[in-house]
Amino acid sequence: MKTLTLIIAIFWLGLCLEAFAHGRSPEMIRELNAPVPDWMSVAEPIKAEPIEDQSLPASYSFRPRSGGATNSRNRVQIPERGIEFQVLHEIDWRGINEEGYGVSLNTDGTKLVVNTGMTSRLYEITSDGEHREVPIRLPHVTYDEGLKGFITGWSWAGNDVLVGRAEITDETGDEIIEGRLYVFHMGERALARLDLSALNLSDNAGLEVASIGENLEHLRVRVGDREFAVKADLKSPLKVLAKPNPTPAPEMQPTAQSPEPIKSPKAGTTQVEEQSSSPPWPVVAAVVMAALGLLWVLLKKRE
């Protein structure tokens, strides 16, 4: 009987710790509610319109979002140039059949983005195949109006334009409300949401860019096992909105039970590296002490 009592107490302790472990950390909440940083601006959304593939010239080509680069969990390859190197961090990776998910090479082959969870790293690739990591600053938060989320999975659309994705979850953090795509112009340091309303998507969870048109005026977008072309001008200068940042939505205000953004089902190895969702240690200690006290009382009664 004592053994059964001990098992029940341990099980109860596990449930308490799991309950406290859920929810956005204070650091995450602060970042989601933070104003637009001084080093960047938010621009008007870019309208995306559906088109038929047949309407494009036969010679028109789309460039894969990876730019021809591939990756495993910790290695990067650029097959056309015979380049391969290992990195110290774990790269976003779906498996051997979808290599290149976590990396993207720009159009002139000089810059490589490597995505590792919430972080994107930049490597310069020289003409002789050498590489070195250089600083890069990209938006982590959506910042535009409405519910906020984190932007991940950046990839090159051109030499100075990147596209990223964000998933907005409900209050429980268990269901994706919508998927979004964002465009960032490095030169202007401006972020714009891709307005997909004209596509009439019934479910856009897992939304991502599959490839980019040669003139930055078209994209091929993937949702689940569907892939289709859209017209969207990624090349023209963005129309920057005036600051300050829009007021955060009420449901994003810091609360003890705020949910944690769930991981994209497509990004099996995605990890939050820059924000910790662990509960405060004083809270954990209090729960542990309470559980041990209950266990002692139960064992005392049995004696």
Side-chain angles (χ1 to χ4, degrees):
M1 183 62 70
K2 289 184 178 181
T3 302
L4 178 59
T5 302
L6 179 61
I7 293 174
I8 293 173
I10 293 174
F11 177 72
W12 179 85
L13 174 61
L15 290 178
C16 290
L17 290 176
E18 182 180 1
F20 276 100
H22 289 297
R24 290 189 178 102
S25 69
E27 292 80 6
M28 280 184 170
I29 297 171
R30 281 195 294 269
E31 185 169 2
L32 287 172
N33 287 326
V36 179
D38 291 338
W39 61 269
M40 61 160 285
S41 301
V42 174
E44 292 183 3
I46 300 173
K47 190 74 174 179
E49 300 176 356
I51 60 170
E52 297 292 335
D53 287 342
Q54 295 83 349
S55 65
L56 295 171
S59 59
Y60 192 87
S61 63
F62 284 87
R63 180 176 180 269
R65 63 177 295 278
S66 68
T70 63
N71 73 277
S72 60
R73 294 192 187 278
N74 64 349
R75 299 191 71 85
V76 175
Q77 306 88 23
I78 306 177
E80 290 186 0
R81 298 173 59 181
I83 297 173
E84 181 173 359
F85 59 91
Q86 185 172 347
V87 296
L88 298 178
H89 40 272
E90 187 171 303
I91 309 171
D92 295 349
W93 191 65
R94 290 179 177 170
I96 58 175
N97 294 326
E98 293 195 59
E99 290 184 345
Y101 174 76
V103 294
S104 177
L105 189 67
N106 71 340
T107 50
D108 66 11
T110 61
K111 298 175 184 177
L112 180 79
V113 164
V114 177
N115 296 304
T116 169
M118 290 288 293
T119 303
S120 293
R121 302 173 185 268
L122 178 64
Y123 290 84
E124 283 186 349
I125 309 297
T126 63
S127 58
D128 58 2
E130 295 296 321
H131 68 278
R132 68 184 183 98
E133 186 173 358
V134 295
I136 186 172
R137 188 156 54 176
L138 295 171
H140 272 318
V141 177
T142 54
Y143 290 121
D144 56 333
E145 294 183 357
L147 292 174
K148 304 296 186 291
F150 292 104
I151 308 175
T152 60
W154 287 105
S155 58
W156 290 105
N159 283 326
D160 196 46
V161 180
L162 296 109
V163 292
R165 65 183 184 277
E167 289 181 337
I168 311 301
T169 61
D170 63 3
E171 294 182 0
T172 67
D174 295 328
E175 183 178 351
I176 298 174
I177 297 176
E178 63 173 321
R180 299 179 188 170
L181 297 177
Y182 286 83
V183 178
F184 185 67
H185 281 220
M186 292 287 289
E188 303 171 52
R189 294 181 179 178
L191 176 72
R193 180 176 172 179
L194 205 60
D195 180 2
L196 306 175
S197 58
L199 305 183
N200 296 319
L201 298 175
S202 58
D203 181 10
N204 60 8
L207 177 73
E208 63 182 0
V209 172
S211 54
I212 300 96
E214 59 188 18
N215 56 6
L216 298 187
E217 292 181 355
H218 299 84
L219 297 170
R220 288 194 66 82
V221 175
R222 183 184 298 126
V223 181
D225 57 357
R226 295 175 54 207
E227 189 174 307
F228 47 89
V230 300
K231 182 179 180 180
D233 182 7
L234 308 187
K235 182 170 55 178
S236 299
L238 300 177
K239 298 179 181 178
V240 174
L241 298 173
K243 292 185 180 181
N245 188 50
T247 303
E251 54 267 50
M252 298 303 296
Q253 297 296 332
T255 62
Q257 301 298 323
S258 296
E260 176 183 2
I262 65 172
K263 300 174 184 177
S264 167
K266 299 292 184 181
T269 61
T270 299
Q271 300 175 356
V272 175
E273 294 187 354
E274 297 186 350
Q275 293 89 7
S276 170
S277 59
S278 300
W281 281 112
V283 176
V284 174
V287 174
V288 171
M289 292 301 295
L292 292 177
L294 176 62
L295 176 61
W296 184 84
V297 171
L298 291 175
L299 292 177
K300 196 70 175 176
K301 287 183 177 179
R302 296 303 307 168
E303 293 176 355

